[in-house]
Amino acid sequence: MDTLNTPDAVDAIRAQWQRERPDLDTRDMALIGRLARCAGQLQKRLNDTFGQYGICNWEFDVLATLRRSGAPYCLAPTALFSSLMLSSGTMTRQLQLLTERGLVERLPNPADARSLLVRLTPDGLALVEAALDAHVANMAAILAPLPAEPHAALDAGLRQLLAVLEAPAP
């Protein structure tokens, strides 16, 4: 099937707007709509894999951030939540839940007596290692139907879009 020319749900929405408001240019709406729909589909597929390990997306993100920080897999909460783009209040609650499950531990920070460090436990390390292998395989399977050239073009285009979206406001 020629998926490039097969109408999708976004095409149906654009057709409705064209009928109701032919003066609107809905190309940008279509692009953002497709990105949003892709994000939703991707999140579901990623969470299906994480669910096999008894974790969800945010838990994987925290554990993976600690893992990729390198041994001893330990970070200050501020470094952890800034790399995850979460609020400190949200992070505090999430770390409490991960601590209760025995996946991370809180340790005194020798550089700052007012704060605690967060470190993967052996169970947390084992879990994130297993989930990481499955996550990488899942992402490869999701993108496998996409030929190499569109894959590279999509990556380049999204890199440019991210640069625009993450640029400081003027």
Side-chain angles (χ1 to χ4, degrees), residues 58-99:
W58 73 260
E59 291 167 315
F60 176 81
D61 284 347
V62 171
L63 299 174
T65 299
L66 289 167
R67 171 60 183 91
R68 72 175 183 260
S69 73
Y73 316 118
C74 188
L75 291 171
T78 52
L80 187 57
F81 81 75
S82 66
S83 72
L84 296 170
M85 296 184 292
L86 296 172
S87 71
S88 61
T90 300
M91 177 59 68
T92 299
R93 178 69 183 135
Q94 291 174 338
L95 291 177
Q96 180 181 350
L97 294 171
L98 290 172
T99 301

Side-chain angles (χ1 to χ4, degrees), residues 118-150:
V118 181
R119 181 172 67 189
L120 279 177
T121 64
D123 286 347
L125 179 60
L127 176 63
V128 75
E129 288 289 340
L132 179 61
D133 289 340
H135 178 52
V136 170
N138 183 39
M139 290 185 296
I142 290 168
L143 295 176
L146 195 60
E149 191 174 313

Side-chain angles (χ1 to χ4, degrees), residues 19-108:
R19 182 188 70 233
E20 296 298 318
R21 289 284 310 271
D23 58 307
L24 292 178
D25 179 354
T26 58
R27 288 177 293 186
D28 294 334
M29 181 189 293
L31 179 59
I32 290 173
R34 284 191 177 95
L35 283 169
R37 291 176 68 87
C38 285
Q41 289 294 319
L42 288 169
Q43 199 57 64
K44 179 190 177 314
R45 292 181 187 197
L46 297 179
N47 278 329
D48 287 347
T49 296
F50 298 142
Q52 295 171 16
Y53 295 88
I55 57 176
C56 63
N57 185 50
W58 73 260
E59 291 167 315
F60 176 81
D61 284 347
V62 171
L63 299 174
T65 299
L66 289 167
R67 171 60 183 91
R68 72 175 183 260
S69 73
Y73 316 118
C74 188
L75 291 171
T78 52
L80 187 57
F81 81 75
S82 66
S83 72
L84 296 170
M85 296 184 292
L86 296 172
S87 71
S88 61
T90 300
M91 177 59 68
T92 299
R93 178 69 183 135
Q94 291 174 338
L95 291 177
Q96 180 181 350
L97 294 171
L98 290 172
T99 301
E100 290 169 5
R101 292 183 55 197
L103 301 174
V104 301
E105 59 188 347
R106 307 295 298 270
L107 306 169

Side-chain angles (χ1 to χ4, degrees), residues 1-13:
M1 179 182 351
D2 180 8
T3 57
L4 282 179
N5 296 313
T6 303
D8 63 12
V10 174
D11 291 320
I13 292 167

